[in-house]
Amino acid sequence: MVAFGKKLKETQIQEWQRYYINYKLMKKKVKQYAQQIEVGAQDRRYVLKEFSRMLDNQIEKIVLFLLEQQGQLASRIAKLNEQQEALLQQPEISQIAQLRELYRAVGQDLLKLLFFVEMNAIGLRKILKKFDKRFRYRFTDYYVTTRANHPYSQLQQVFKQVGLGAVVGAISRNLADLQDRQGSYLSIYDQPALPLQDPVIDSIKAAVDRLTHSTNFLHFLGQHALIMQEELPTPLEDDVADESYHFMSLLLNLANTFLYMVNTYIVVPTADDYSLSLGAAATVCGVVIGSMAVAQVVSSVYFSAWSNKSYFRPLIFSSIVLFVGNVLYALAYDLDSIAVLLIGRLFCGLGSARAVNRRYISDCVPLRIRMQASAGFVSASALGMACGPALAGLLQINFKISKLTFNQNTLPGWVMALAWFIYLIWLWISFKEPVRETEAENVQQEASAPENDALEKGLAQPLLLSSEEKHHDEEGDQECDVSEEAPEESHRPATSIASAYRLLTPSVKVQLLIYFMLKYAMEILLAESSVVTTYYFSWSTSSVAIFLACLGLTVLPVNIVVGSYISNMFEDRQILLASEIIVGIGIVLSFHILRSYSVPQYVCSALITFVSAEVLEGVNLSLLSRVMSSRLARGTYNGGLLSTEAGTLARVVADGTITLAGYLGQSRLLNITLLPSLFICISSIIATCFTYNSLF
């Protein structure tokens, strides 16, 4: 992992070098201030005031240059508009083509300006994060509150760029007007959904979306996967990924994700009946369902480590373990053993290869389709979540073959065992192990030694190539910090859970708490649904299965609405806080307070809780990837693993709560299990309020 300071220096547009944020100077000042406060040479208030002044000066320098460049682009577009008006009187194909090229040239310069703003925005975020981490003080909260909300905010110019949007619109409209549309005289404003097939506009749109964190359904859905990417994509990385990419192998990873989610939820409608048939209490279903999550806490770590060396072998191992686990789950009925049932579910949890699936998409799928693959990962999970209970509802038959019983309790195990056996054969025949980085070194022999070194460390190449550095300006030379490039170890991925934990800032911890909360609330709702609905409404297994399947089917439609519309209207942090509050409202509405507890109350409150938790998950993981250290983007102990562990622990605690609450009687089960959900939800809302401005 290359330091941002070095990356900034190598990707700067040379003629604009003096207008970039002086990241090296700011980083050195943070270190100096920390040392001065440590020895008592300066007080904290002076440091905050002085550092704020320095940041203000840096931002003002950036913004004034940005406005100057915007004015030049606007002037060029105005002159081209005059030429276009004259050309409309006597149109000539050659002159139209020439005019389009001139507009494209303006677009290329706009792309350079967008890249300039993006690099400075990243630098500002990083230096604020570095200051907070070094001083253990929420300086970002103070700085953003006082600057971003001011009527003359220059910070908003860097992060919102309203003026640049107008320039983008002008170029897009004029290129569209010059483009042949088969006789149509409609403007882009009349048909906003009509795509403009021009590579310059595509590049500009991608840069603007990345800069403003604009989103669409596909991007929003892909955020659920928490497959972290470099802030600046690199062509070299994409070339390597193209060599490693194999469509059938990707499809097998998505199929593994789908089958695992089906395997997780197919037992939910019948787990209470199965427990009763083996002589245990109905609420033992919490342990039956949760034992899979307990094992997944362990399996996530060793599968993540294993994926450093291979993808094929862990997937083979996963399929075999899941096959054995499901066979044991099915045989527990004829063996009349709750122990065999739990061992079977533990085996299923030990076969969880979701860490491998995530890692494959992150490392082996080309950057140009990585977001689609991430969205496919989430869609496969959502579809599996809906299909599991639905499939359980269809398996309402009862027969025997020899001494083996096939009924609603055992058939989920037999069906999943067969599915994993077929998948294992497909995997063995079709999966192609990608070329690892160590094996690909020979391909890069023609590259220079520095380039090879940079590639091995994951160096992000510039989006716009610049000429060689001539020499630093005087200020840069004077402020040069010999320790600006930190030791290589400080840029390597975390090597243990403890080292990963030390990289977690307060903002990251709050986002992990929110993820824990939403997974806890969803698990309570899903895992106890069979017991609760049977006690209050006497629902059959088929009714429970339909209810759970309908909940699962809401995932994609809700994400379409949020990803395509809501996330473009509001900031992520606003959606985050609103979703948390709505989850809390759903939990409150779920309590059995009045004498009668009706089906509409239960179904509506469950729908509010589940849908708002789904919305919250996408926004939460989006913010988590933004505030998390870049050292957690790769390696065994990565951001995806940490979020998986947080979610899995939430499921374990929730399922354990259901079983323990069951000892107090089914009449108290609902309210007792909802109390921790409400407490954690309120805690996460308070924590979000404290870190709200650091999520800017």
Side-chain angles (χ1 to χ4, degrees):
M1 190 69 64
V2 175
F4 175 76
K6 183 177 180 181
K7 188 186 297 184
L8 176 64
K9 184 172 64 176
E10 293 179 349
T11 57
Q12 283 178 350
I13 299 166
Q14 290 303 300
E15 58 268 29
W16 298 349
Q17 187 179 31
R18 55 187 290 212
Y19 301 108
Y20 280 87
I21 182 175
N22 195 331
Y23 186 78
K24 182 183 290 187
L25 171 64
M26 301 300 289
K27 185 176 175 182
K28 180 179 179 181
K29 287 295 183 182
V30 169
K31 183 178 180 181
Q32 286 180 350
Y33 288 145
Q35 292 172 344
Q36 289 172 358
I37 288 179
E38 199 172 316
V39 299
Q42 294 287 0
D43 66 356
R44 188 177 292 271
R45 292 189 62 179
Y46 170 81
V47 168
L48 293 177
K49 181 179 178 181
E50 189 65 18
F51 195 70
S52 297
R53 184 189 63 78
M54 290 179 61
L55 268 180
D56 290 341
N57 290 339
Q58 292 290 320
I59 292 171
E60 184 174 277
K61 173 182 69 176
I62 296 165
V63 169
L64 291 177
F65 177 74
L66 174 62
L67 293 174
E68 179 188 340
Q69 292 298 311
Q70 281 180 214
Q72 292 178 11
L73 290 174
S75 177
R76 289 169 63 186
I77 292 173
K79 291 179 181 178
L80 292 177
N81 284 347
E82 293 175 2
Q83 295 180 34
Q84 186 174 344
E85 289 295 327
L87 190 60
L88 288 176
Q89 306 300 323
Q90 295 180 334
E92 292 185 16
I93 296 177
S94 60
Q95 291 184 3
I96 290 175
Q98 184 180 6
L99 191 58
R100 288 181 66 183
E101 289 304 316
L102 291 173
Y103 273 118
R104 287 196 183 103
V106 176
Q108 291 289 351
D109 288 341
L110 174 60
L111 196 59
K112 287 171 60 178
L113 189 59
L114 288 168
F115 179 73
F116 167 82
V117 177
E118 181 180 16
M119 290 299 295
N120 283 292
I122 294 171
L124 287 172
R125 286 197 184 98
K126 284 186 173 291
I127 206 67
L128 285 168
K129 189 189 298 184
K130 202 173 286 290
F131 191 94
D132 283 357
K133 184 177 180 181
R134 182 65 75 108
F135 289 89
R136 307 289 182 185
Y137 180 79
R138 291 187 295 114
F139 174 75
T140 301
D141 185 39
Y142 156 77
Y143 192 80
V144 171
T145 302
T146 55
R147 268 63 175 178
N149 299 325
H150 195 277
Y152 307 129
S153 172
Q154 292 179 326
L155 189 64
Q156 289 282 8
Q157 286 287 336
V158 177
F159 287 100
K160 300 300 179 187
Q161 327 88 29
V162 176
L164 283 177
V167 178
V168 173
I171 295 174
S172 302
R173 183 186 67 82
N174 286 289
L175 275 175
D177 288 347
L178 292 170
Q179 182 171 297
D180 179 19
R181 291 192 176 276
Q182 290 77 41
S184 172
Y185 293 95
L186 293 175
S187 164
I188 62 169
Y189 301 115
D190 299 311
Q191 292 182 315
L194 194 64
L196 174 59
Q197 301 298 327
D198 196 294
V200 173
I201 299 302
D202 290 341
S203 299
I204 291 173
K205 186 179 183 301
V208 171
D209 286 346
R210 194 169 64 241
L211 187 57
T212 60
H213 299 290
S214 294
T215 186
N216 52 31
F217 166 59
L218 184 68
H219 184 239
F220 185 82
L221 198 62
Q223 290 169 352
H224 285 65
L226 192 60
I227 294 170
M228 299 179 67
Q229 302 180 21
E230 286 288 329
E231 287 170 311
L232 297 174
T234 161
L236 281 180
E237 280 184 353
D238 209 25
D239 292 341
V240 174
D242 273 324
E243 294 172 9
S244 306
Y245 176 60
H246 181 236
F247 174 74
M248 187 58 70
S249 299
L250 173 62
L251 192 61
L252 282 161
N253 274 279
L254 297 180
N256 184 281
T257 298
F258 170 76
L259 287 176
Y260 185 79
M261 294 304 289
V262 172
N263 211 150
T264 300
Y265 289 100
I266 195 172
V267 306
V268 173
T270 58
D272 57 338
D273 285 340
Y274 207 165
S275 300
L276 287 170
S277 68
L278 297 179
T283 52
V284 173
C285 68
V287 175
V288 174
I289 297 169
S291 55
M292 192 168 176
V294 171
Q296 191 179 341
V297 173
V298 178
S299 66
S300 296
V301 178
Y302 68 70
F303 272 117
S304 183
W306 202 348
S307 63
N308 290 326
K309 299 179 180 179
S310 173
Y311 299 102
F312 178 65
R313 287 192 290 272
L315 288 175
I316 289 288
F317 177 78
S318 165
S319 305
I320 294 172
V321 171
L322 281 158
F323 172 78
V324 172
N326 281 290
V327 169
L328 290 173
Y329 181 85
L331 289 175
Y333 187 88
D334 293 306
L335 296 174
D336 193 26
S337 172
I338 190 73
V340 174
L341 181 74
L342 294 174
I343 291 171
R345 288 293 286 178
L346 284 170
F347 264 74
C348 289
L350 291 173
S352 171
R354 286 172 67 80
V356 180
N357 306 144
R358 271 197 182 102
R359 189 71 178 274
Y360 184 87
I361 294 172
S362 176
D363 292 353
C364 302
V365 175
L367 196 62
R368 55 189 165 79
I369 61 167
R370 193 173 299 163
M371 187 54 71
Q372 290 94 317
S374 300
F377 175 86
V378 176
S379 299
S381 299
L383 191 60
M385 186 179 180
C387 288
L391 187 57
L394 297 174
L395 301 177
Q396 302 300 302
I397 51 179
N398 192 350
F399 62 93
K400 292 194 74 169
I401 298 178
S402 184
K403 294 182 179 181
L404 297 178
T405 303
F406 297 86
N407 57 26
Q408 66 173 10
N409 295 326
T410 63
L411 276 171
W414 292 121
V415 168
M416 291 312 303
L418 177 63
W420 285 113
F421 180 73
I422 294 171
Y423 174 81
L424 181 61
I425 296 172
W426 180 26
L427 181 70
W428 189 271
I429 295 171
S430 303
F431 191 87
K432 179 182 177 182
E433 183 76 79
V435 178
R436 313 299 294 193
E437 286 186 8
T438 52
E439 297 171 5
E441 286 178 359
N442 292 333
V443 180
Q444 306 294 333
Q445 282 181 352
E446 295 180 3
S448 63
E451 290 174 336
N452 275 334
D453 184 59
L455 182 59
E456 289 167 9
K457 295 178 183 177
L459 173 60
Q461 299 297 316
L463 294 174
L464 299 170
L465 298 177
S466 59
S467 60
E468 291 185 359
E469 301 279 350
K470 294 180 180 179
H471 53 79
H472 303 299
D473 57 25
E474 292 181 7
E475 184 181 35
D477 284 332
Q478 292 170 358
E479 300 293 347
C480 184
D481 182 6
V482 294
S483 63
E484 194 273 340
E485 298 303 330
E488 187 177 345
E489 291 77 8
S490 67
H491 303 301
R492 288 177 178 171
T495 55
S496 67
I497 288 288
S499 62
Y501 182 80
R502 286 194 293 270
L503 294 173
L504 303 184
T505 62
S507 297
V508 176
K509 291 175 183 177
V510 169
Q511 295 308 307
L512 289 175
L513 171 64
I514 294 171
Y515 192 69
F516 180 93
M517 178 274 291
L518 69 91
K519 286 297 182 184
Y520 183 92
M522 291 173 70
E523 187 70 11
I524 287 290
L525 170 64
L526 299 174
E528 71 178 11
S529 59
S530 181
V531 178
V532 169
T533 54
T534 300
Y535 177 78
Y536 286 106
F537 319 125
S538 301
W539 280 8
S540 64
T541 301
S542 297
S543 299
V544 177
I546 292 170
F547 169 68
L548 293 175
C550 289
L551 283 181
L553 288 172
T554 62
V555 173
L556 294 182
V558 167
N559 280 296
I560 290 175
V561 174
V562 176
S564 300
Y565 302 103
I566 296 178
S567 59
N568 288 324
M569 297 166 59
F570 302 98
E571 295 179 14
D572 282 355
R573 56 180 180 169
Q574 294 173 327
I575 302 173
L576 181 86
L577 187 56
S579 300
E580 287 180 85
I581 293 171
I582 297 173
V583 169
I585 293 171
I587 293 170
V588 170
L589 293 176
S590 300
F591 277 92
H592 179 199
I593 300 173
L594 302 176
R595 182 168 296 180
S596 61
Y597 193 63
S598 63
V599 172
Q601 180 186 350
Y602 177 75
V603 172
C604 290
S605 60
L607 195 61
I608 291 170
T609 303
F610 187 83
V611 169
S612 55
E614 274 297 325
V615 173
L616 179 59
E617 182 175 2
V619 181
N620 167 246
L621 293 180
S622 170
L623 288 169
L624 187 59
S625 64
R626 199 183 306 169
V627 299
M628 191 171 280
S629 168
S630 58
R631 290 180 61 190
L632 295 173
R634 286 284 188 268
T636 301
Y637 301 95
N638 53 61
L641 176 65
L642 292 179
S643 64
T644 299
E645 293 291 86
T648 305
L649 281 172
R651 291 172 52 205
V652 171
V653 175
D655 293 324
T657 303
I658 293 171
T659 300
L660 292 175
Y663 287 107
L664 300 176
Q666 292 189 24
S667 61
R668 300 180 179 179
L669 176 68
L670 182 64
N671 286 349
I672 291 174
T673 53
L674 288 175
L675 279 173
S677 295
L678 184 60
F679 174 76
I680 300 171
C681 183
I682 293 172
S683 301
S684 70
I685 291 172
I686 294 171
T688 300
C689 291
F690 275 103
T691 59
Y692 187 74
N693 283 306
S694 66
L695 303 175
F696 186 77

